[in-house]
Each structure stands twice: as structure tokens, then as C-alpha cells.
């Protein structure tokens, strides 16, 4: 299909949408190529990546791509020799219903004939009793014979086979989603029978239920969050099903089933497994199950972003058209609305020159904007609808962040005016699409008598954040000339009780607060900062979320935001926030201090640290080389 340029359309309705699912996948070229190969060879696939990047869509596309095969119905029959081991048979697709229907009709005929004979016998007894004048004896005899024959008669229904798996002729390969299935739903089960005596019990074969692995026979079994599959033995049983040539018997899987007494013959389950999960899902997988996939299939890492090129922008616009068509209830988007959605895709990518591939979230925004347009009776959705949708469709984390900012300003937890010693406004990410202001307070005290000074951090700090605090002692000595062994430095992270601090992006903030406390120089409170810091004072890039951090600072009323120079191209903030703040990119801690400290006493201090920095640089460049060997 020829790509459609944004300049060539008036609205998304003019963009053709591919019919096949595999052609609708956006930005996952490697995964698409793997799926095409895996489908031809019927290989298993493990997809790992962030939710919303297209894993389930690729799994459904796999079912369309599988080579055409004749589908089969699976029947289960009673076993005359061993009732606890029902017999399994496969027949061509569509024949299962015919066979079961024929057996039911034959059973009805036999039941009707037997009932007629019983009635004739009872009438004969009653007639003889009336003639002989022994009516009471006739009634008792008739009742006794009726109950005896009812109890002892064979159950015609018990001989009718059960259609375990039904398929349609000429249908595509089945796609079964087994995500979150318990053991019985995944592997098959045998229902509990409350009537196990008195001739009322349900025959064993009629209590057998097919599992997802059996319904996926000759098709695709998709399991998302594969590491959370419970109970643990389910992954082992799944491995067994893969290893046994596509056959797995059905038995009771829970305390509410019939237990292990009933176990069928091997039931066909020759499926292609497409497993998926987040990056941490690899650690939770059964090692042998993952090894089986790697040995007989493919592993794919799903991309979170794609380069912001004209070709990929065309693909993203096609995604908008796809979402509108698939939803079926919202209008198409005009050119300005498409541009606004592209801007939002850049913003959510958290990466310079890229578009996000978290398309499920973008699809949610598209639907909300479309709902607003539909509510107004508009023929197409406009940029205004997209902007309104962004305000309405905020994530829970973003709403919590807004509420936290309001409360922190109300209770003076966040200060945005004046200058304070040892207090710095840091920035943090909350969730995946929102930021928050993270105030940090530092205080210096003499160490306990006879003890060595240390940096003591309080707050809900995760492992990486704690490690970054330890590196600050080297920076303190280098940039103040004072040894931490002669002091205790206390650092308090305010307001971290909700999510804690994870990562080292607060290193710059901590260092600035401690240096301010040691030198007794106030920090400007209308400045916020984020960035990692090396032990030599270089400001390193942060992993992501710089856009969300800047927007959170703007909401709080902060005027200047210090960020690493390396992250400047990652900033894609909304126009309303761009007018509210000044972004200052930096590469060293000296530049951070130059912009963060107030002017009182700052000039002498900045001169001192620049001289110290110059001496360190000279020392590094004048390291003597090895002496030549003496003759």
C-alpha cells in the first residue's frame, strides 16, 4: 500500500486502511518479519516489551498468517472397559455436530421404546390386579417394578459422545487468549459431580471440559504476562504439552473438580504458542519453558519508539485512521488534529527525534477526542478536541501529581520564591506520563564524638537512589575543599511516601543542597533541577521523563529548570508550558551552581570552585608517564 503524506489529505478518512492485521502493525518491523517467518514454520514466539506496543495484535495476526490446514472436531466417548478413561476421537471439521446429533436421536428412540414397554407392563399388572380384586397389591407391584427398571436401565444419554472442541469448515486457524487462565481453563478439567451414587451420576466423559490448549489445536495460543501464570505447575504442564508432540490428556486440576480419578486419552493440542510479558517477565518464566521457545522459535523485543521520519509519520497517521475505523463510533480527524496527535506522540516518546509506539495509550486519546467531537455533532475531530481530550483523559498518576502540587503549595511543602540555604527543588517522574516536584533539604552537623562523618539520607529511597547518594561525598570534597569525615550531612527527601525515589536523577539536586548547606549560600527557590552526576562533577543524562518533569515544575510556578545538556533535544513540552519556564541545559556541576545559587556570597565561592576545577583538570592532564628503562 502506497504511503499517504499528511499534506495530501484533508482528514484521516481519506487514508486507506490495510485489511490484514499484520499490515496494520506500526513501527515493529522486526517483530513483523519474525511473525511472518514463525507462521510459515509454525514456530513459537516470545515477545517482551512495554504494555500497549502491539503484542496482542501481532499474536492475532499470527493466526491469520498460519498455513491453511483442515480443521478438526474433537469428540470424547465413554469407555466401556474403564469409565475413568474416556476415549478421544478426531473427525473433520463440522462432522462432530452431525455425529453427536445422530447419537442423540438414536438414544431418544431407545428411550422412547423402553418407556413404552414399561408403561405396557405397568398397565398389564394394574389390569390383572383389577380383575383379581387385588388393587393394592397391583399398585405396590407396579411401583416396585417401575423403580427397579428405572434404576437398572442403561442410560441411553450416557452413551452419547460429547463434542469437546468444535470448529467451522474453511475457517481461519483459531486464536485463543489464555491470559490469566487458571489451570483448569488452560489445561482442561473434569467437572465435579455432586451425584455420584444412586444411579444419578453424570458419566465421566460428559464432565470433561477442554482447556485453552485444546481449543487452540492447529491455531495460536496467546498468553500475556506469561510469568504470572498460576499455579506454578501450569507452566510446567504447558511445557509438557509442547514437548509431547501436540497431545495432552485432561484430568482434574482443582479441589472442586473430580480429582485425578478421571484421566482421558491424549487430546490433540498442536498449537503455536505466542507468549508475551514485560521485561521483568523473563525472570519469572519457567527456565525450561523459555528454553523450549528459544530452541524451537523466536524471542522478540518490542520497540517503544520509532524515528520521527516522514515515512513513520505517515504510518502514524494511518494508525489514526485504523483506530477510527476499528472503533466505528467516532468521526475522522482533520489535518490540524492529526498534527496535534503527532506532537503528542513526540512528547510521549521521551526521546529526541522519535514517536511513541505505546499505541494503546494513544488510541485512548484518539477515542476520547472522537467522543468529544461526536458529542458536539462535529463532522470531524479538530485540534481543539484533541487538546480538550488531553485534559480530560489524564492518567491517574497525572491527576495525583496535579493534586500533590496543589497541596504542597498550599502547605508550603514546595517553595517557589526567594532563596533558602540547603533547600532545592528537585524533579521526579510519577508513573509513566507525569512528573512532580521533589523538594530536598540538606543540613550539616558535627559528627558524633570519635565517629567519622557520613551522608545520611532519609525518605523512601530505592537501591539506585541510595547508591547515588554515596557518590556525593567525593563531589563535596572536590567542590568545597572540605572533608566529609569532619561532618555529618543529613539529606531529607520530602513527600516521597507515595512512590519513593528510584534512579539517580536526583544526584544534581542532592549535591547542590549539600554544597549550599556547607557553604551557607542560599539556593533560588524559583529554580528546579534534574540530572545524574558523575563523581567528577559531570552532569549526565537522565533515562527519561524530562518533558513531564518540566511540565510539573511549570504547574508549580517554577520559572527556571536546569536539565542535562544531553536531554535538551528530548524536551517536547506543550506551548502553554513553554511560555511559563526557561530551560537551562548544563554539562557540569559548576554550571548548576552558577544558575541555582543566589548572588549573595556566590561570586567568591564560584571563583573558588572554578580554581579548584582548573587544578583538578590540570592534575589529570599532567599525570607522568612510565619512566624509560635505564641503560
Amino acid at each position: 500500500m502506497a504511503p499517504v503524506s499528511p499534506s495530501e489529505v484533508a482528514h484521516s478518512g481519506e487514508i486507506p486502511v490495510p485489511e490484514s492485521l499484520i499490515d496494520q502493525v506500526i513501527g515493529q518491523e522486526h517483530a513483523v518479519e519474525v511473525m511472518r517467518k514463525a507462521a510459515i514454520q509454525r514456530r513459537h514466539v516470545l515477545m517482551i516489551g512495554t504494555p500497549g506496543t502491539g503484542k496482542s495484535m501481532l499474536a492475532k495476526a499470527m493466526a491469520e498468517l498460519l498455513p491453511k490446514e483442515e480443521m478438526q472436531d474433537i469428540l470424547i466417548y465413554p469407555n466401556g472397559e474403564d469409565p475413568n478413561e474416556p476415549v478421544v476421537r478426531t473427525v473433520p471439521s463440522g462432522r462432530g455436530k452431525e455425529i453427536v446429533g445422530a447419537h442423540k436421536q438414536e438414544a431418544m428412540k431407545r428411550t422412547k421404546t423402553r418407556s413404552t414397554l414399561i408403561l405396557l407392563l405397568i398397565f398389564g399388572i394394574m389390569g390383572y390386579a383389577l380383575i383379581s380384586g387385588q388393587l393394592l397389591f397391583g399398585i405396590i407391584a407396579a411401583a416396585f417394578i417401575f423403580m427397579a427398571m428405572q434404576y437398572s436401565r442403561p442410560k441411553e444419554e450416557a452413551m452419547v459422545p460429547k463434542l469437546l472442541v468444535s470448529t467451522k469448515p474453511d475457517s481461519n486457524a483459531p486464536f485463543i487468549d489464555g491470559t490469566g487462565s487458571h489451570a483448569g481453563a488452560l489445561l482442561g478439567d473434569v467437572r465435579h459431580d455432586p451425584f455420584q451414587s444412586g444411579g444419578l451420576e453424570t458419566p465421566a466423559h460428559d464432565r470433561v471440559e477442554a482447556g485453552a490448549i485444546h481449543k487452540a489445536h492447529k491455531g495460536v495460543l496467546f498468553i500475556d504476562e506469561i510469568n504470572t501464570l498460576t499455579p506454578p505447575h501450569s507452566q510446567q504442564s504447558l511445557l509438557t504439552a509442547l514437548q509431547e508432540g501436540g497431545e495432552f490428556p485432561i484430568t482434574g486440576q482443582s479441589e472442586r473438580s473430580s480429582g485425578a480419578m478421571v484421566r482421558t486419552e491424549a487430546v490433540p493440542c498442536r498449537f503455536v504458542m505466542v507468549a508475551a510479558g514485560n521485561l521483568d517477565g523473563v525472570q519469572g518464566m519457567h527456565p525450561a519453558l523459555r528454553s523450549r521457545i528459544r530452541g524451537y522459535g523466536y524471542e522478540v523485543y518490542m520497540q517503544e519508539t520509532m524515528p520521527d521520519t516522514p515515512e513513520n509519520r505517515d504510518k502514524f497517521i494511518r494508525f489514526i485512521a485504523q483506530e477510527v475505523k476499528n472503533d466505528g463510533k467516532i468521526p475522522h480527524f482533520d489535518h490540524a488534529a492529526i498534527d496535534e496527535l503527532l506532537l503528542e506522540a513526540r512528547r510521549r516518546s521521551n526521546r529526541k527525534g522519535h514517536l511513541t509506539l505505546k499505541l494503546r495509550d494513544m488510541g485512548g486519546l484518539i477515542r476520547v477526542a472522537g467522543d468529544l467531537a461526536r458529542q458536539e455533532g462535529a463532522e470531524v475531530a479538530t485540534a481543539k478536541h484533541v487538546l480538550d481530550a488531553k485534559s480530560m483523559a489524564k492518567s491517574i498518576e497525572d491527576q495525583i501529581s496535579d493534586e500533590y502540587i496543589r497541596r504542597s503549595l498550599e502547605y508550603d511543602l514546595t517553595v517557589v520564591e526567594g532563596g533558602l540555604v540547603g533547600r532545592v527543588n528537585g524533579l521526579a517522574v510519577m508513573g509513566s506520563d507525569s512528573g512532580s516536584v521533589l523538594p530536598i533539604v540538606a543540613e550539616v552537623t558535627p559528627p558524633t564524638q570519635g565517629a567519622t562523618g557520613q551522608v545520611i539520607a532519609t525518605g523512601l529511597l530505592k537501591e539506585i537512589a541510595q547508591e547515588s547518594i554515596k557518590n556525593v561525598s567525593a563531589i563535596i570534597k572536590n567542590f568545597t575543599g572540605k572533608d566529609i569525615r569532619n561532618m555529618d550531612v543529613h539529606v531529607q527527601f520530602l513527600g516521597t511516601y507515595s512512590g519513593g525515589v528510584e534512579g539517580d536523577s536526583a544526584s544534581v539536586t542532592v549535591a547542590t543542597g549539600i554544597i549550599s548547606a556547607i557553604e551557607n549560600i542560599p539556593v533560588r527557590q524559583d529554580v528546579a533541577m534534574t540530572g545524574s552526576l558523575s563523581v567528577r562533577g559531570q552532569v549526565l543524562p537522565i533515562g527519561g521523563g524530562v518533558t513531564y518533569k518540566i511540565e510539573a515544575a511549570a504547574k508549580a510556578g517554577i520559572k527556571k529548570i536546569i536539565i542535562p545538556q544531553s536531554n535538551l533535544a528530548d524536551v517536547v513540552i506543550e506551548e502553554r508550558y513553554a511560555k511559563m519556564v526557561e530551560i537551562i541545559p548544563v554539562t557540569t556541576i559548576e554550571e548548576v551552581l552558577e544558575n541555582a545559587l543566589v548572588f549573595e556570597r556566590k561570586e567568591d565561592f564560584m571563583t573558588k570552585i572554578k580554581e579548584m576545577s582548573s587544578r583538578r583538570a590540570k592534575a589529570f592532564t599532567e599525570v607522568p608517564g612510565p619512566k624509560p628503562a635505564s641503560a
Side-chain angles (χ1 to χ4, degrees):
M1 179 177 295
V4 180
S5 173
S7 60
E8 297 175 359
V9 298
H11 59 80
S12 57
E14 298 178 6
I15 302 170
V17 175
E19 292 297 328
S20 63
L21 280 176
I22 195 69
D23 292 329
Q24 293 182 20
V25 177
I26 305 296
Q28 304 289 352
E29 285 76 14
H30 174 63
V32 168
E33 181 183 0
V34 167
M35 280 297 181
R36 291 186 185 277
K37 293 178 180 178
I40 294 173
Q41 301 294 335
R42 297 189 65 87
R43 306 293 192 195
H44 307 301
V45 179
L46 172 63
M47 294 184 290
I48 295 297
T50 305
T53 51
K55 296 189 290 290
S56 60
M57 188 175 184
L58 280 165
K60 291 177 182 178
M62 168 76 91
E64 292 184 355
L65 294 171
L66 286 177
K68 191 68 175 179
E69 290 191 67
E70 290 188 7
M71 295 293 105
Q72 291 179 322
D73 291 345
I74 302 176
L75 295 167
I76 187 162
Y77 288 80
N79 188 339
E81 297 180 358
D82 185 357
N84 287 326
E85 188 179 359
V87 178
V88 176
R89 295 289 183 268
T90 58
V91 296
S93 179
R95 283 280 296 148
K97 289 184 178 180
E98 297 177 7
I99 293 173
V100 172
H103 276 272
K104 285 184 177 179
Q105 288 184 357
E106 184 64 27
M108 288 176 64
K109 288 179 181 179
R110 290 196 299 267
T111 301
K112 187 175 181 180
T113 301
R114 186 176 180 83
S115 298
T116 301
L117 292 174
I118 293 174
L119 286 174
L120 289 174
L121 181 58
I122 290 174
F123 285 146
I125 293 174
M126 292 301 296
Y128 175 79
L130 288 172
I131 293 173
S132 62
Q134 297 179 343
L135 181 60
L136 179 59
F137 174 78
I139 293 174
I140 294 174
F144 178 79
I145 291 174
F146 176 79
M147 293 299 295
M149 295 189 72
Q150 281 290 101
Y151 180 80
S152 62
R153 72 174 184 171
K155 291 189 175 181
E156 283 76 9
E157 296 85 354
M159 304 307 293
V160 176
K162 179 177 180 178
L163 182 57
L164 201 60
V165 176
S166 177
T167 60
K168 295 180 180 180
D170 300 324
S171 62
N172 289 330
F175 172 82
I176 304 298
D177 190 344
T179 302
S181 297
H182 58 79
L186 179 67
L187 306 169
D189 207 348
V190 181
R191 287 184 285 111
H192 174 64
D193 183 12
F195 305 106
Q196 297 185 11
S197 62
L200 300 176
E201 67 272 7
T202 305
H205 79 284
D206 205 31
R207 290 183 277 121
V208 174
E209 300 292 342
I213 63 174
H214 307 107
K215 295 175 183 177
H217 179 51
K218 293 193 174 184
V220 173
L221 175 65
F222 175 60
I223 302 180
D224 201 358
E225 305 299 338
I226 182 68
N227 58 308
T228 63
L229 197 61
T230 56
H233 80 265
S234 291
Q235 291 194 42
Q236 178 64 52
S237 298
L238 192 60
L239 173 63
T240 302
L242 294 176
Q243 290 176 331
E244 295 300 323
E247 292 184 333
F248 192 82
I250 298 176
T251 188
Q253 294 288 344
S254 69
E255 65 278 1
R256 293 188 61 83
S257 66
S258 70
M261 289 299 295
V262 177
R263 185 180 182 86
T264 70
E265 293 181 345
V267 182
C269 57
R270 190 168 62 87
F271 58 86
V272 173
M273 188 173 75
V274 178
N278 301 328
L279 190 57
D280 60 350
V282 177
Q283 285 79 26
M285 279 188 68
H286 193 293
L289 179 59
R290 185 186 176 194
S291 176
R292 181 75 181 183
I293 296 175
R294 294 184 67 183
Y296 295 88
Y298 299 87
E299 289 188 342
V300 178
Y301 179 72
M302 303 294 290
Q303 298 297 319
E304 295 184 17
T305 63
M306 62 180 177
D308 185 10
T309 63
E311 180 183 359
N312 285 339
R313 286 194 290 272
D314 292 344
K315 293 178 182 178
F316 193 88
I317 295 172
R318 194 188 74 204
F319 162 73
I320 298 171
Q322 290 172 188
E323 290 296 293
V324 174
K325 179 182 178 181
N326 294 335
D327 185 84
K329 296 180 290 186
I330 58 176
H332 281 281
F333 287 68
D334 66 14
H335 197 283
I338 290 173
D339 287 343
E340 192 63 40
L341 287 169
L342 282 168
L343 178 62
E344 183 65 13
R346 296 187 189 99
R347 175 177 171 271
R348 296 192 182 192
S349 72
N350 278 320
R351 187 178 175 188
K352 56 187 176 184
H354 280 72
L355 301 170
T356 183
L357 285 176
K358 296 178 182 178
L359 299 180
R360 185 180 298 148
D361 294 343
M362 290 301 301
L365 178 62
I366 290 169
R367 277 180 281 278
V368 173
D371 289 344
L372 294 175
R374 177 68 69 188
Q375 185 178 7
E376 294 180 4
E379 294 184 0
V380 293
T382 64
K384 180 180 181 300
H385 295 131
V386 176
L387 292 172
D388 292 344
K390 288 168 65 175
S391 299
M392 180 176 292
K394 288 182 177 180
S395 67
I396 295 296
E397 292 85 358
D398 204 6
Q399 296 176 51
I400 292 174
S401 174
D402 290 347
E403 180 64 21
Y404 175 76
I405 289 172
R406 284 194 294 269
R407 291 191 180 188
S408 63
L409 290 172
E410 181 180 349
Y411 292 100
D412 295 329
L413 288 175
T414 299
V415 181
V416 296
E417 295 178 343
L420 294 172
V421 174
R423 183 184 177 107
V424 189
N425 287 319
L427 298 171
V429 174
M430 182 180 293
S432 61
D433 63 352
S434 63
S436 63
V437 178
L438 180 65
I440 295 175
V441 179
E443 185 63 55
V444 178
T445 62
T448 305
Q449 186 173 5
T452 302
Q454 57 184 327
V455 177
I456 304 168
T458 58
L460 188 57
L461 305 182
K462 307 278 177 80
E463 182 178 354
I464 298 177
Q466 292 175 350
E467 292 294 330
S468 67
I469 297 296
K470 297 177 182 178
N471 293 332
V472 173
S473 58
I475 299 170
I476 295 172
K477 185 175 182 180
N478 286 338
F479 289 91
T480 65
K482 299 179 180 178
D483 196 335
I484 194 174
R485 289 178 297 179
N486 300 322
M487 65 188 78
D488 279 343
V489 179
H490 298 265
V491 180
Q492 182 181 12
F493 288 75
L494 304 180
T496 60
Y497 47 83
S498 58
V501 180
E502 184 173 4
D504 62 348
S505 62
S507 301
V508 166
T509 312
V510 171
T512 302
I514 294 175
I515 292 173
S516 167
I518 291 174
E519 298 293 334
N520 197 32
I521 302 176
V523 178
R524 294 180 53 172
Q525 298 303 295
D526 62 347
V527 173
M529 61 186 69
T530 184
S532 180
L533 201 61
S534 75
V535 292
R536 292 185 177 181
Q538 298 166 317
V539 178
L540 307 176
I542 60 176
V546 63
T547 294
Y548 304 130
K549 291 180 177 182
I550 292 173
E551 292 179 351
K555 293 176 187 177
I558 290 171
K559 304 301 181 185
K560 293 185 178 182
I561 297 107
I562 298 172
I563 67 171
Q565 174 73 47
S566 304
N567 289 118
L568 182 61
D570 297 334
V571 177
V572 185
I573 60 175
E574 297 181 25
E575 185 177 353
R576 53 177 172 164
Y577 297 126
K579 298 176 181 179
M580 299 167 60
V581 296
E582 177 187 355
I583 300 173
I584 304 173
V586 297
T587 57
T588 63
I589 186 64
E590 291 98 325
E591 296 176 56
V592 175
L593 299 174
E594 181 74 33
N595 287 279
L597 301 181
V598 300
F599 283 97
E600 300 174 6
R601 290 191 55 213
K602 185 182 76 170
E603 299 301 329
D604 293 340
F605 174 68
M606 291 305 301
T607 301
K608 181 178 73 172
I609 65 170
K610 287 177 180 178
E611 290 176 354
M612 294 179 66
S613 178
S614 177
R615 286 198 298 269
R616 287 197 313 276
K618 185 177 180 181
F620 287 136
T621 57
E622 293 181 355
V623 175
K627 295 181 179 180
S630 57

